[in-house]
Amino acid sequence: MYFYPEVGQYESTLLDSLADIVEALVWILHCKSEAIVGMAVNVVVKLVSSNSSMMQLYLTDLINPLSSLLCSNNLEVATSCATALNMVLSNLSVKREKQVWEIVKEAKTLIQIIRIIREFPGGTQPIENFQEMVSLLYTILWRWPPSRYFVWKDTILIKVLEDSRIKSHLSTKVAVLKLYSALGNETSIDLLVLSLNIWIEQFSHLFVPALCNKVAKELLGNGETILTMMVSCMDVSEPLAVRIEGFRLAQHLVADEQRCIKMTSLCSGPLIKAIIGGMRVWRLGSGKGVNDLVSLLDEACRLALITRWPGEHHNHFWEQGIDKVLLDLLLENFDKQASEHPLTPQARISIAQQGLDTNFLIALRPYIWEIFGWLAVHCRKDFRPSADRNELYIDMLITCACLSFVEAICKGCQISENDDTSRSESSSRAVLVMMHSSCTYIASKVRLILSGVLEIKGNECLKRLLYLLDYGSSANNFGSANIPKTVVELVCLICYSGLPEYQKNVTRGDGIRTLVTSIRRCLSNEVCTSRRSFALHFYHNVFYERTCCWMTAEEWEGKDALLFYSLWGLAELVQHSSDIDHSHIKSNLIKTVQAVLDNVSAPGPRWLAANVLSYFGVYGFPNKHDKGFGRALEDKEHTDLQLLFANGESVSVHKIILAVRCPSLLPPEQFPQSAETTDNFLVKDVPRKCCPMLQKEVRLSARVDQQALLKLLDYVYFGYVEAGEDLARKLKTLAKSCNMQPLFLMLCRKIPKWGTPIPSSDFTDALGPLGFQDIILEAEETEKMPWACSFCSLLVPHMHAHKFILQSRCKYLQALFLSGMQESHSQSIKVPVSWEALIKLVRLIYSRKLPDPPFGCLWDNMDTKERLYELKPYVEVYWLAEFWILEDVQEACFTTIISCLDSDRQLALEVMKLAAGFSLWKLAEVAADYMAPIYHKLRDSGVLEQLDELLIELVRDASVRLSQGSGGFSG
């Protein structure tokens, strides 16, 4: 009788023996005996494929021996090893990726693979060997972004891959196409396009979007070629699998606003037509696999989220019938239910409720509300449906959104952190942005329909909503677990406050106090929950988890959803409240809102905070960290222009400030590059005989109110202005005439359109042909370099700048220019840093933002010498900032240097030597901390002999502190 162990017993036995099995396999692979290596490799494949979870602890042991066999003379062994290594790398857990990448680099796996692929043309390798090597290379490119740059820049490899296109083997073309899909090299585009027809029919599942941001930009730079190919993949005539991959590629190529603008400028019509075709697939897909249809719908809806950015593509969406498409995805068989005769409002509500209750394609609803909400946000003010039928579709969509809004309130505490949250948040948010749409038709319709939906139980829902908000904001219940529910409740409260019949009940009670408390908690970092954490439909995409070289701008609403909607709710309550004059409430409110402006960088929360302040006579963005140029307005001695009022009085100003912040106050003659800058309403004609660049006076029109203009200048110089109601009305007229839209919005107390940027304090444009430069900053010549200047004939590296801006933002230069010494009268200053450092310093002074060093693939593939070249200017600026009393500049440079050391511990040695040369001992000590974990290795290798004894002692002390657990960077 034979004994067959149970499955559990078999797994337990295997687990107990796994360490010994792997050890034996590693020994056999290292022996490189052709007689048994093949069998060992087959065992590796079987173990990994059938027991990947149990093998996780041992996968790293197999990488080195398998890599060493890739170049075996026995091509069958080499091919099998490539297969096995591919399987090992594909089954790695994410937490082991960093460790394995170091092993892959040390084993020179990438170099070996590339060498083998290079030798393929004209060689004796079987096609299977080539395909496995390309497939293995693809896996490495997918999992480890730093590898992409190395392959991308190998021109010989690229040439070999392009030549492989002419091979007769279809599978070879597909393998190469798959590789380029992960890499996205611009030189591969011809191959990509020419291979497309074959690939479309049989191998669409292999296509993966380009993952590197730099490469994706280059793909778009090729323009119509790649886009024509992509759109053809999405066409309704292609197989579903092909269309899915086409949509995925498009999603990655339009992953930010600038790339969306680029793509839609080239193929907006065909792209939107393809998206609409993908979203209609459910109606046209009878007989097709349900899962495939849902997958295509999901990808098409994801791509339709390009509606979050403004542009011409919005018109194409409406022209292609996006309203009907979205309604078809919400309500099954709506056309059959709707009669030819007009439906009453109650009948529409009934049909919509019945349709929503069937849960038809319920997983797609967050996309539907997101898309419709963004369409409303960017809709034209004068937009109206083109026909009665279109009006019905839009009204039904709004009705469905309003019903979902009520459902979200009724669910209340039952909402959990799953799909319910995503659906409730997205539908409520859609109602909110529609109510604030610039489109008169949509904004009025949603208010009318929401009032009708709430007619029966609106007050009951509001009472429940206020109770839930009060309950959730209490100290015992306030926490990250309840944030998604609280966000939904806040959105609903803001919507209620937009309906006149409920405003009195909304503002009654402690609503303002509750919201102020919520904002203060957010600012103190008690909680911080981004929309990304619960709006998974909008953000989650497996491909983005593998992208590299991204440095995305902060989203308009910021990283804290609770802070954003608390501020929006506060803005609405303040607008409709009449009892906030109580000194304590008012003082606490203003102090809290000011804290937002001082500490939050996202545009949305800052705009909402400014909107709240406007109800207390403050218009703009006061900030304790940035006083603007306020003090300069009072310093008449160093101004270069006088604005003359009709009554003979005048005010002294600076041309460069007006040129950047309010060009309408300067006559056209002040702008030699352009004469289209002003209106005679503000400035009288200036005699042409005057030399524009030397002109000292500008006479203003008699219609310019003197008080209003002085307040306008306060805003221009300080970034904000305080004004009473009467003066604010005059200032509003002047702000509109001067085209100062942000100030005009605040004076109108309007919440700006979603995405409106904050007025910039960046003066970098003034360094260009705008003019008015009056000082030259000369860099230290470290080496001879060719030099030509468009402003002057000086042949050394230099920049033309403005004394006024430099002295306003640098105390040292202010003292220098006002000292009366020789330097104060000189037309140039020698700055003791390199040209590269001078660029960064001046741009930081003008923009208050330090330029970033290279990052992503580019940085990862630099050697230590190249990285030091990029980092040295930051060390120079860090040193100079100490003497020029630029604390914020010094801090920014220090942070940048540390971030670079985090990514390359070997760089610390060179930075320490550089820091010591500038006597930057704080930086030298930090570099020593980074060297501490490898002190013994550096000492034994003799590397430390490059340093003098003082620096060696710093490293030794850091190592001792680390060993005692009291210092060093051990990560």
Side-chain angles (χ1 to χ4, degrees):
M1 175 181 289
Y2 294 98
F3 171 70
Y4 296 96
E6 297 292 334
V7 173
Q9 292 175 313
Y10 168 78
E11 289 182 351
S12 176
T13 303
L14 178 61
L15 186 60
D16 293 338
S17 309
L18 208 50
D20 295 331
I21 294 172
V22 173
E23 185 179 357
L25 288 171
V26 170
W27 182 84
I28 294 170
L29 292 172
H30 275 307
C31 288
K32 300 183 180 179
S33 171
E34 294 183 4
I36 57 175
V37 162
M39 291 187 289
V41 171
N42 289 335
V43 172
V44 170
V45 171
K46 289 179 182 178
L47 279 174
V48 175
S49 61
S50 57
N51 303 279
S52 60
S53 59
M54 286 191 290
M55 283 291 292
Q56 283 299 319
L57 291 174
Y58 309 100
L59 291 178
T60 53
D61 298 328
L62 295 165
I63 294 171
N64 208 308
L66 287 172
S67 295
S68 68
L69 289 166
L70 290 176
C71 53
S72 170
N73 292 328
N74 187 321
L75 294 178
E76 185 177 344
V77 169
T79 303
S80 298
C81 285
T83 303
L85 187 56
N86 198 357
M87 186 165 290
V88 167
L89 298 180
S90 299
N91 282 279
L92 275 174
S93 64
V94 174
K95 65 181 181 181
R96 292 183 177 274
E97 285 186 352
K98 185 175 181 180
Q99 174 194 1
V100 171
W101 174 236
E102 295 302 320
I103 296 173
V104 168
K105 287 195 295 183
E106 189 174 340
K108 295 182 170 52
T109 307
L110 197 59
I111 294 173
Q112 293 187 63
I113 297 169
I114 291 173
R115 184 177 64 78
I116 293 167
I117 296 175
R118 279 177 168 188
E119 295 173 354
F120 177 70
T124 58
Q125 299 100 315
I127 195 66
E128 292 78 14
N129 178 266
F130 177 80
Q131 292 169 5
E132 288 300 333
M133 292 299 171
V134 170
S135 179
L136 175 57
L137 183 55
Y138 162 80
T139 299
I140 293 173
L141 293 175
W142 169 264
R143 299 204 73 148
W144 290 285
S147 64
R148 296 170 193 159
Y149 183 86
F150 188 81
V151 176
W152 178 23
K153 290 299 182 183
D154 193 318
T155 55
I156 298 176
L157 175 67
I158 297 302
K159 180 66 166 59
V160 169
L161 293 171
E162 289 183 350
D163 289 345
S164 69
R165 172 176 55 83
I166 64 174
K167 298 286 183 180
S168 58
H169 293 279
L170 175 62
S171 53
T172 302
K173 295 182 179 181
V174 172
V176 175
L177 180 61
K178 179 180 178 180
L179 173 62
Y180 274 122
S181 301
L183 179 63
N185 194 323
E186 63 173 341
T187 59
S188 70
I189 293 173
D190 291 339
L191 170 63
L192 192 63
V193 175
L194 290 170
S195 302
L196 181 65
N197 292 333
I198 299 173
W199 166 74
I200 279 179
E201 297 179 2
Q202 300 183 30
F203 298 97
S204 59
H205 64 285
L206 296 177
F207 194 80
V208 181
L211 298 174
C212 177
N213 183 43
K214 297 181 188 300
V215 175
K217 285 184 177 179
E218 292 188 13
L219 284 171
L220 273 181
N222 183 265
E224 296 181 4
T225 306
I226 187 69
L227 298 182
T228 300
M229 176 275 293
M230 179 193 72
V231 172
S232 69
C233 287
M234 296 186 282
D235 191 77
V236 294
S237 63
E238 304 301 343
L240 287 178
V242 177
R243 298 176 70 189
I244 288 171
E245 299 303 334
F247 280 115
R248 287 176 177 170
L249 172 61
Q251 288 170 39
H252 190 70
L253 292 180
V254 293
D256 63 37
E257 183 173 1
Q258 293 306 312
R259 293 197 337 217
C260 177
I261 291 171
K262 172 71 173 176
M263 181 183 288
T264 53
S265 68
L266 293 171
C267 66
S268 182
L271 177 65
I272 305 312
K273 183 179 179 181
I275 294 173
I276 294 296
M279 296 173 70
R280 282 184 173 139
V281 70
W282 190 264
R283 278 189 167 273
L284 306 174
S286 56
K288 304 284 182 69
V290 172
N291 290 337
D292 288 339
L293 290 176
V294 171
S295 295
L296 178 58
L297 271 172
D298 184 81
E299 300 299 342
C301 288
R302 283 185 187 276
L303 184 53
L305 292 176
I306 61 172
T307 49
R308 65 186 181 272
W309 295 306
E312 186 63 26
H313 56 289
H314 279 262
N315 292 334
H316 290 291
F317 269 111
W318 290 114
E319 290 168 3
Q320 291 287 335
I322 185 65
D323 45 354
K324 176 67 163 61
V325 171
L326 292 175
L327 190 61
D328 286 341
L329 295 176
L330 264 180
L331 305 178
E332 193 173 17
N333 302 319
F334 170 73
D335 286 336
K336 294 180 181 178
Q337 292 178 282
S339 65
E340 295 297 328
H341 304 289
L343 293 172
T344 65
Q346 285 305 315
R348 294 179 184 182
I349 291 174
S350 177
I351 292 173
Q353 188 64 68
Q354 291 174 22
L356 292 174
D357 289 344
T358 64
N359 291 335
F360 174 64
L361 295 176
I362 192 169
L364 294 179
R365 288 187 186 175
Y367 294 116
I368 294 168
W369 299 133
E370 199 77 41
I371 295 165
F372 192 47
W374 289 120
L375 287 167
V377 165
H378 300 297
C379 200
R380 299 191 320 271
K381 182 178 178 65
D382 59 351
F383 169 84
R384 285 195 65 85
S386 58
D388 290 342
R389 204 68 180 168
N390 296 99
E391 185 172 345
L392 175 62
Y393 297 146
I394 293 176
D395 288 0
M396 286 302 296
L397 281 169
I398 294 174
T399 302
C400 289
C402 292
L403 289 170
S404 299
F405 166 90
V406 174
E407 182 186 16
I409 300 174
C410 293
K411 281 186 175 180
C413 297
Q414 300 171 17
I415 296 176
S416 57
E417 292 189 58
N418 53 24
D419 289 343
D420 280 346
T421 303
S422 193
R423 287 194 294 272
S424 297
E425 189 269 347
S426 58
S427 60
S428 304
R429 184 177 174 281
V431 172
L432 173 61
V433 296
M434 282 190 283
M435 292 180 74
H436 290 267
S437 171
S438 56
C439 173
T440 305
Y441 175 83
I442 291 179
S444 59
K445 272 288 183 180
V446 72
R447 284 178 166 81
L448 178 65
I449 292 174
L450 184 58
S451 293
V453 169
L454 291 172
E455 187 174 0
I456 298 176
K457 51 182 180 180
N459 283 310
E460 178 187 339
C461 287
L462 177 57
K463 184 178 179 181
R464 175 177 175 76
L465 181 62
L466 293 172
Y467 166 78
L468 290 172
L469 271 172
D470 184 61
Y471 175 83
S473 65
S474 64
N476 294 331
N477 299 306
F478 191 85
S480 57
N482 295 317
I483 297 301
K485 293 182 289 184
T486 304
V487 166
V488 174
E489 291 156 7
L490 279 171
V491 172
C492 293
L493 180 69
I494 300 168
C495 293
Y496 259 108
S497 67
L499 301 176
E501 61 267 36
Y502 297 103
Q503 286 169 358
K504 189 173 182 180
N505 289 336
V506 167
T507 56
R508 189 179 297 160
D510 288 336
I512 290 179
R513 193 191 305 272
T514 298
L515 292 175
V516 168
T517 301
S518 173
I519 293 167
R520 295 181 72 85
R521 284 173 172 167
C522 291
L523 292 174
S524 63
N525 294 319
E526 287 185 37
V527 292
C528 182
T529 303
S530 67
R531 188 170 182 241
R532 185 182 299 270
S533 64
F534 52 85
L536 300 180
H537 63 284
F538 191 34
Y539 295 102
H540 181 69
N541 189 316
V542 66
F543 296 111
Y544 296 158
E545 296 171 4
R546 294 289 172 180
T547 57
C548 63
C549 301
W550 280 86
M551 189 172 285
T552 55
E554 187 172 17
E555 292 173 7
W556 195 75
E557 63 267 44
K559 298 175 182 177
D560 194 333
L562 182 61
L563 174 65
F564 177 73
Y565 288 111
S566 294
L567 280 165
W568 199 337
L570 182 62
E572 291 288 342
L573 291 187
V574 168
Q575 178 185 357
H576 302 299
S577 296
S578 56
D579 57 347
I580 56 175
D581 288 330
H582 188 282
S583 59
H584 175 69
I585 296 177
K586 181 178 178 180
S587 172
N588 197 27
L589 187 156
I590 294 175
K591 184 179 178 181
T592 300
V593 170
Q594 182 61 59
V596 173
L597 292 172
D598 289 339
N599 298 291
V600 178
S601 60
R606 289 176 61 78
W607 265 116
L608 292 169
N611 178 265
V612 173
L613 283 183
S614 69
Y615 290 94
F616 301 97
V618 179
Y619 306 93
F621 302 89
N623 189 324
K624 70 178 182 181
H625 304 299
D626 184 2
K627 300 298 183 181
F629 296 96
R631 286 178 298 180
L633 185 60
E634 301 163 1
D635 179 17
K636 295 181 172 57
E637 186 177 345
H638 296 92
T639 56
D640 56 2
L641 183 69
Q642 279 197 320
L643 301 179
L644 303 178
F645 295 104
N647 62 4
E649 295 184 15
S650 65
V651 59
S652 300
V653 294
H654 303 80
K655 292 179 184 178
I656 187 59
I657 297 294
L658 297 189
V660 174
R661 290 277 182 86
C662 188
S664 296
L665 287 178
L666 290 176
E669 290 79 3
Q670 292 294 318
F671 297 90
Q673 303 298 322
S674 172
E676 301 175 2
T677 51
T678 192
D679 188 321
N680 283 341
F681 173 78
L682 299 170
V683 182
K684 280 191 173 182
D685 291 338
V686 179
R688 293 286 176 177
K689 64 182 180 181
C690 296
C691 177
M693 302 307 293
L694 298 177
Q695 182 183 335
K696 300 294 185 181
E697 296 179 350
V698 170
R699 191 172 299 279
L700 299 174
S701 166
R703 288 174 289 176
V704 175
D705 185 89
Q706 183 173 346
Q707 279 187 306
L709 182 67
L710 293 175
K711 286 296 180 181
L712 183 73
L713 291 175
D714 279 349
Y715 176 79
V716 167
Y717 276 76
F718 287 94
Y720 72 98
V721 61
E722 297 183 46
E725 290 295 328
D726 291 340
L727 188 52
R729 279 192 290 272
K730 297 177 183 178
L731 183 56
K732 187 193 303 183
T733 301
L734 186 58
K736 186 176 182 180
S737 300
C738 289
N739 198 29
M740 299 191 72
Q741 190 64 16
L743 177 59
F744 179 72
L745 281 174
M746 286 178 279
L747 289 163
C748 293
R749 291 172 177 153
K750 288 184 178 179
I751 293 176
K753 182 178 178 180
W754 194 288
T756 303
I758 293 291
S760 174
S761 59
D762 187 348
F763 275 73
T764 306
D765 288 345
L767 293 169
L770 197 58
F772 313 117
Q773 292 95 331
D774 54 3
I775 189 73
I776 293 175
L777 303 177
E778 292 184 31
E780 193 174 65
E781 278 195 271
T782 53
E783 58 184 48
K784 291 294 181 181
M785 57 187 295
W787 187 263
C789 178
S790 57
F791 291 99
C792 71
S793 58
L794 192 62
L795 296 178
V796 297
H798 65 276
M799 295 186 77
H800 291 263
H802 307 81
K803 279 187 177 181
F804 164 68
I805 293 178
L806 295 175
Q807 72 181 34
S808 295
R809 291 184 170 175
C810 177
K811 295 176 182 177
Y812 170 83
L813 292 178
Q814 182 182 37
L816 180 68
F817 294 148
L818 301 179
S819 66
M821 295 188 297
Q822 181 180 352
E823 290 87 349
S824 65
H825 304 294
S826 175
Q827 296 300 307
S828 66
I829 297 176
K830 294 187 183 297
V831 184
V833 295
S834 66
W835 167 245
E836 291 78 15
L838 181 63
I839 293 173
K840 290 174 172 53
L841 174 66
V842 174
R843 289 194 178 277
L844 197 157
I845 290 175
Y846 274 67
S847 69
R848 296 192 180 277
K849 185 179 186 304
L850 184 67
D852 295 305
F855 67 100
C857 292
L858 191 58
W859 176 264
D860 291 336
N861 285 276
M862 288 179 178
D863 59 28
T864 301
K865 183 178 180 181
E866 291 170 322
R867 290 179 176 181
L868 184 64
Y869 175 81
E870 296 292 342
L871 194 56
K872 184 182 176 184
Y874 295 92
V875 178
E876 293 181 72
V877 175
Y878 177 65
W879 165 76
L880 187 65
E882 183 176 352
F883 293 98
W884 281 19
I885 321 173
L886 294 166
E887 294 90 349
D888 55 338
V889 172
Q890 199 170 22
E891 182 180 348
C893 289
F894 187 78
T895 301
T896 298
I897 295 167
I898 296 304
S899 69
C900 292
L901 292 179
D902 282 335
S903 66
D904 183 3
R905 197 178 296 275
Q906 302 295 331
L907 191 59
L909 177 70
E910 300 300 330
V911 170
M912 172 179 266
K913 290 192 290 185
L914 197 59
F918 285 103
S919 298
L920 298 171
W921 299 114
K922 176 185 174 183
L923 182 57
E925 289 174 1
V926 171
D929 287 337
Y930 275 92
M931 295 165 67
I934 54 175
Y935 166 70
H936 296 289
K937 179 181 177 181
L938 294 172
R939 182 194 60 192
D940 296 341
S941 65
V943 172
L944 288 181
E945 294 175 5
Q946 302 175 34
L947 305 176
D948 61 36
E949 190 57 38
L950 176 60
L951 298 182
I952 295 174
E953 190 64 29
L954 283 178
V955 182
R956 187 184 299 119
D957 290 346
S959 177
V960 172
R961 290 196 303 272
L962 179 62
S963 65
Q964 295 173 346
S966 59
F969 293 88
S970 58

